[in-house]
Amino acid sequence: MFLRNRVLTSESVGEGHPDKVCDLIADAILDACLEGDPNSRVACEVFATTNTVIVGGEITTNADIDVDAIVRDTVRRIGYTIEGIGFDAESLSVTNLIGRQSADIALGVDHDGAGDQGMVFGYATKETPVLMPASVYWVHELLKRAASVRRKTDFLRPDAKGQISLAYRHGRPHHIDAVVLSHQHGEEIAHKDLVDFLKKEVIIPTLEPSGFFDRNTALYINPTGRFVIGGPAGDTGLTGRKIVVDTYGGIGHHGGGAFSGKDPSKVDRSGAYLARWIATNLVRSGLCTVCEVQLSYAIGIAEPISIAVETFCTGVMSEDELIRIIRRNFDLTPKGMIEALNLRAPIYRRTTNYGHFGKPDLPWERERILSLP
């Protein structure tokens, strides 16, 4: 997406946000399955509400996993350990409704086809060193900083969410127009003290280095005045409800498929990782400065049924030429992407929070030298 003069807002959420609690539990279960059996087939969904977690979906694996223990350990690591707040690792109830994957789905996957139909998108831009849109990059940094600060206090709790509204001028990031940060807290801290603390310890240290933050940036910090009841006790959580947070913050398209809890035979996850890998390397190779790649798949069919590339008038060659480069340099089949990116490794807990892209340690972020015409 080529942004001229406009303001674009991107969102991020903390580890204790109810939907992210569910995503992390699902990815922890996936990793446990892959640790014991790299060929596990996993489609895990999680629902969380007041002191209750329900795990369901379809899993076929030779791994021996303890769902109850994984749920409690995940909730504990997030920081929900205080009894009496409506959701804590020790007293919550866990219901396990997991079944086995349908044999009809397995027919296509067992022959190296896609595990479902779907379209996926990958996006890359030179706006940031990690080739992510600036608005979503900085709002993820804001929530990461909030989590780090929270673990050093006794009055901040795990649920949090934020937004950054970034103004563009002539297609380039110009300044941060507004920042929203809402953070769960204990009863003991006054609203003014909380606002001053979050501004001083979270917002300013994170956003001043961006070069886009100044005294004219509007700040909205815990604007309702109170955020004591949070996490799944304050709102129900469900896997897959933060798909824009997980991807590009509203810049570019989204295929609609969620990621967490799915093994790599599900192309709405692995295909999105592949599309991102392709997009970043087209940008790194100097073929464009902004790139969006779309791949689409049919269940049981290995090769994508369509490929599209959009460079938003920043490319040095045609779409057809770029597609030929993609086919020459990347195996686009589910088997090929799984092997190239080592997607059967238990890496998925590292993806859950603060976006699945722009993290240099993940395999789809690495540079690949392309063979060009």
Side-chain angles (χ1 to χ4, degrees):
M1 181 182 296
F2 189 71
L3 302 168
R4 297 190 182 277
N5 297 333
R6 63 174 293 189
V7 177
L8 183 106
T9 299
S10 292
E11 177 191 33
S12 186
V13 298
E15 298 158 24
H17 185 281
D19 295 331
K20 276 296 153 194
V21 170
C22 295
D23 284 345
L24 191 57
I25 291 170
D27 278 335
I29 290 171
L30 171 60
D31 277 354
C33 290
L34 294 175
E35 285 169 1
D37 177 6
N39 294 310
S40 296
R41 301 278 168 76
V42 179
C44 179
E45 304 293 345
V46 180
F47 170 89
T49 187
T50 303
N51 259 6
T52 301
V53 171
I54 300 173
V55 182
E58 297 78 40
I59 295 179
T60 301
T61 183
N62 292 319
D64 183 16
I65 64 170
D66 185 337
V67 169
D68 186 277
I70 292 170
V71 170
R72 295 183 192 280
D73 181 63
T74 302
V75 171
R76 191 177 300 113
R77 288 171 180 268
I78 291 169
Y80 284 118
T81 57
I82 302 171
E83 291 189 24
I85 64 169
F87 192 80
D88 72 89
E90 303 308 319
S91 66
L92 64 83
S93 168
V94 179
T95 300
N96 182 354
L97 301 178
I98 292 172
R100 290 180 65 83
Q101 187 183 73
S102 163
D104 292 347
I105 295 175
L107 286 173
V109 181
D110 289 343
H111 292 90
D112 297 326
D116 200 353
Q117 71 178 47
M119 57 179 180
V120 296
F121 291 89
Y123 188 88
T125 172
K126 284 194 171 181
E127 284 182 12
T128 60
V130 294
L131 304 183
M132 289 292 287
S135 55
V136 75
Y137 172 80
W138 287 108
V139 77
H140 283 324
E141 291 298 302
L142 185 70
L143 270 293
K144 281 192 276 187
R145 170 78 182 185
S148 176
V149 169
R150 185 250 302 177
R151 287 185 164 87
K152 300 172 185 175
T153 74
D154 56 6
F155 58 86
L156 291 179
R157 290 180 180 168
D159 196 356
K161 61 195 311 182
Q163 291 181 176
I164 285 181
S165 300
L166 185 66
Y168 283 76
R169 296 291 181 268
H170 309 295
R172 298 178 63 85
H174 186 267
H175 67 273
I176 294 175
D177 210 47
V179 177
V180 180
L181 180 61
S182 297
H183 209 300
Q184 187 187 12
H185 58 89
E187 294 267 13
E188 65 273 20
I189 187 166
H191 181 254
K192 182 182 183 304
D193 293 338
L194 178 66
V195 169
D196 290 344
F197 179 85
L198 291 173
K199 179 179 178 180
K200 178 182 177 183
E201 299 297 333
V202 178
I203 294 175
I204 292 175
T206 304
L207 298 182
E208 272 196 343
S210 72
F212 305 131
F213 179 83
D214 59 37
R215 64 182 181 178
N216 296 316
T217 300
L219 301 182
Y220 302 91
I221 305 172
N222 279 45
T224 67
R226 179 180 170 87
F227 187 6
V228 173
I229 301 172
D235 192 8
T236 56
L238 190 67
T239 42
R241 291 204 298 197
K242 286 293 175 282
I243 58 177
V244 173
V245 171
D246 287 344
T247 52
Y248 305 104
I251 294 183
H253 293 90
H254 194 294
F259 298 159
S260 290
K262 295 178 180 178
D263 76 83
S265 72
K266 281 70 173 176
V267 291
D268 47 7
R269 183 172 207 168
S270 53
Y273 295 164
L274 174 65
R276 164 68 177 175
W277 194 34
I278 294 169
T280 59
N281 282 291
L282 292 179
V283 170
R284 287 191 183 105
S285 297
L287 300 175
C288 49
T289 58
V290 184
C291 183
E292 183 176 76
V293 174
Q294 186 202 47
L295 307 172
S296 67
Y297 291 87
I299 187 168
I301 306 301
E303 292 287 342
I305 61 174
S306 71
I307 307 172
V309 182
E310 174 62 72
T311 62
F312 307 96
C313 300
T314 70
V316 300
M317 57 181 63
S318 70
E319 176 183 354
D320 287 343
E321 290 172 306
L322 291 174
I323 290 174
R324 283 195 289 271
I325 288 171
I326 290 170
R327 288 192 180 278
R328 179 184 301 151
N329 288 274
F330 297 93
D331 187 336
L332 306 178
T333 66
K335 180 180 179 181
M337 66 180 80
I338 288 169
E339 291 178 353
L341 297 174
N342 194 25
L343 295 181
R344 295 204 184 280
I347 59 172
Y348 295 99
R349 277 170 289 192
R350 288 154 48 194
T351 70
T352 313
N353 292 297
Y354 317 116
H356 290 239
F357 307 118
K359 299 174 179 176
D361 64 322
L362 293 173
W364 46 90
E365 299 294 322
R366 71 174 187 263
E367 184 172 4
R368 179 169 188 159
I369 304 301
L370 301 184
S371 171
L372 303 177

